[in-house]
Amino acid sequence: MLKLSCNATDKLQTLFSHSHQPDPAHRRTVSSVSCSHLRKPVLDPLRATVSADQGSVIRAEQGLGTLADQLRLGSLTEDGLSYKEKFIVRSYEVGSNKTATVETVANLLQEVGCNHAQSVGFSTDGFATTPTMRKLHLIWVTARMHIEIYKYPAWGDVVEIETWCQSEGRIGTRRDWILKDVATGEVTGRATSKWVMMNQDTRRLQKVSDDVRDEYLVFCPKELRLAFPEENNRSLKKIPKLEDPAQYSMIGLKPRRADLDMNQHVNNVTYIGWVLESIPQEIVDTHELQVITLDYRRECQQDDVVDSLTTTTSEIGGTNGSASSGAQGQNDSQFLHLLRLSGDGQEINRGTTLWRKKPSNL
């Protein structure tokens, strides 16, 4: 049940009086409203306790959308071809530096992507599945994820993320993101990803049919729009396979139950954490992750045991940097990564990371 506090009421009254400049009589009327009158719930208590389906119908009839729609700070852009949402960085989303972790950023990217899909009428029970996909038991799975973070948001910062999707050949789709600091308008990060379709029953990849393509292309920009428009940018670089022996390793990692997503395999964000487990501690202490690129090679199930391998590497491809800085620093460190099954050595994931020196105030 949602209520306005007395403090919130006072702030609303102050904002109202400053922005609208009502006449004195009207101002007295507003000021005389007691907190008890403003503590009415947004929804009638009886209606708020009905089933999810019934509740959705009631709210739709009221023209309010779902309760989540009312509370979420996100919406389609004016042209309807991308989606923006604001997020507050919570205390449990930051690390020891009091800034968001890369896993937090990746989770927010996934969240805003799902909310975008839901806002145009796609289902989120299989991560943005269209009606035809649900009928044929098809799901989207991540093939590649590339994230660049120019400045990590701190606890309490407000981040705006814009996302959009486009076709990627005959076998998949791509989704891009741009992250901004709401207070300054500064672009603090960018990301891009490639997704392919998989049959949920056979676990085999499948080409994107014209029916599915027609269902989602109507919500995509008509002209190619890229988060990384630069030529030869790092997101396009091929990742070589790490060969034994690796310099650093973390052996015997096991998925937790909480690591499984709604498609019944290990969530793609979990792989990021596994990759970082084999980064040497001296790098973690003195550097922060700027760029991560992951190629997903096979699914990981709950009973699998995973080895994380890491080796220092030379230049793989320059970082794109922010609008004001595009050069790679002399103190940056790069690593090549491999996730594989402990038993038979099958490759799960390969990746690269680029780390920059931490700011002096951290």
Side-chain angles (χ1 to χ4, degrees):
M1 186 179 297
L2 300 175
K3 297 180 179 180
L4 289 175
S5 66
C6 291
N7 288 337
T9 303
D10 293 338
K11 291 179 180 178
L12 286 173
Q13 293 170 2
T14 301
L15 288 172
F16 185 90
S17 62
H18 286 177
S19 60
H20 292 276
Q21 295 296 323
D23 61 75
H26 185 71
R27 186 179 293 112
R28 284 194 299 273
T29 302
V30 173
S31 301
S32 65
V33 177
S34 67
C35 289
S36 61
H37 286 86
L38 291 174
R39 286 178 177 167
K40 292 182 179 179
V42 173
L43 297 175
D44 184 276
L46 293 178
R47 291 186 175 182
T49 58
V50 298
S51 69
D53 288 341
Q54 292 172 316
S56 297
V57 171
I58 291 171
R59 288 188 290 272
E61 291 175 349
Q62 295 174 334
L64 301 175
T66 67
L67 182 58
D69 291 334
Q70 298 172 52
L71 299 178
R72 188 180 293 128
L73 299 177
S75 63
L76 291 169
T77 54
E78 186 174 349
D79 61 10
L81 302 180
S82 69
Y83 176 90
K84 292 182 180 181
E85 185 167 353
K86 296 181 179 67
F87 299 91
I88 302 172
V89 178
R90 312 294 184 180
S91 61
Y92 53 81
E93 295 174 324
V94 303
S96 58
N97 295 329
K98 298 181 181 179
T99 58
T101 64
V102 66
E103 291 99 324
T104 291
V105 173
N107 277 318
L108 291 179
L109 298 181
Q110 182 171 280
E111 175 69 9
V112 74
C114 285
N115 291 343
H116 178 206
Q118 192 175 50
S119 71
V120 298
F122 293 161
S123 169
T124 51
D125 60 1
F127 290 127
T129 53
T130 70
T132 299
M133 290 178 67
R134 291 194 296 278
K135 181 180 178 180
L136 300 177
H137 296 184
L138 300 174
I139 58 175
W140 293 113
V141 293
T142 314
R144 169 173 272 221
M145 177 67 73
H146 177 85
I147 303 172
E148 298 192 8
I149 304 174
Y150 313 129
K151 181 181 179 182
Y152 280 89
W155 176 21
D157 283 353
V158 181
V159 180
E160 180 183 74
I161 304 177
E162 180 180 9
T163 187
W164 63 95
C165 60
Q166 293 175 303
S167 178
E168 182 73 14
R170 296 297 302 175
I171 63 171
T173 185
R174 65 178 294 139
R175 178 173 287 278
D176 288 25
W177 298 266
I178 293 178
L179 295 82
K180 288 185 179 181
D181 183 322
V182 171
T184 65
E186 177 187 4
V187 173
T188 57
R190 294 182 288 174
T192 187
S193 61
K194 295 181 181 180
W195 300 72
V196 293
M197 276 202 322
M198 173 186 283
N199 185 290
Q200 194 167 16
D201 301 324
T202 65
R203 316 308 287 185
R204 292 182 180 275
L205 298 183
Q206 186 163 326
K207 288 185 178 181
V208 180
S209 68
D210 290 337
D211 289 340
V212 172
R213 197 180 305 277
D214 291 343
E215 285 176 327
Y216 75 81
L217 281 183
V218 67
F219 302 108
C220 299
K222 304 305 182 255
E223 296 182 2
L224 184 63
R225 181 188 178 193
L226 303 173
F228 298 97
E230 302 90 347
E231 291 186 12
N232 200 33
N233 69 79
R234 192 181 179 95
S235 73
L236 304 174
K237 299 296 182 181
K238 184 177 180 180
I239 302 176
K241 184 178 180 180
L242 186 155
E243 302 294 345
D244 286 328
Q247 288 179 281
Y248 311 97
S249 63
M250 182 64 71
I251 307 300
L253 299 170
K254 297 181 179 180
R256 304 170 304 160
R257 293 187 182 96
D259 293 328
L260 299 183
D261 62 24
M262 62 185 77
N263 289 330
Q264 300 305 310
H265 59 203
V266 173
N267 187 276
N268 66 78
V269 178
T270 300
Y271 296 88
I272 296 177
W274 285 345
V275 163
L276 301 184
E277 280 298 306
S278 55
I279 288 288
Q281 187 61 45
E282 58 267 26
I283 293 296
V284 175
D285 291 339
T286 59
H287 290 65
E288 64 180 8
L289 181 64
Q290 180 175 353
V291 182
I292 182 167
T293 310
L294 297 179
D295 281 343
Y296 296 84
R297 298 294 177 130
R298 73 180 299 276
E299 286 187 284
C300 187
Q301 308 293 343
Q302 183 177 352
D303 295 332
D304 290 334
V305 180
V306 177
D307 295 339
S308 175
L309 309 178
T310 292
T311 291
T312 305
T313 186
S314 58
E315 181 75 14
I316 295 175
T319 175
N320 302 307
S322 64
S324 59
S325 63
Q328 183 175 326
Q330 293 182 345
N331 294 322
D332 292 348
S333 297
Q334 291 193 99
F335 296 91
L336 187 64
H337 305 278
L338 176 68
L339 296 179
R340 67 185 183 190
L341 293 179
S342 294
D344 56 17
Q346 286 190 63
E347 184 179 11
I348 300 172
N349 186 298
R350 65 175 66 175
T352 61
T353 57
L354 174 67
W355 299 70
R356 61 174 172 246
K357 273 284 193 179
K358 287 182 179 179
S360 57
N361 60 332
L362 293 182

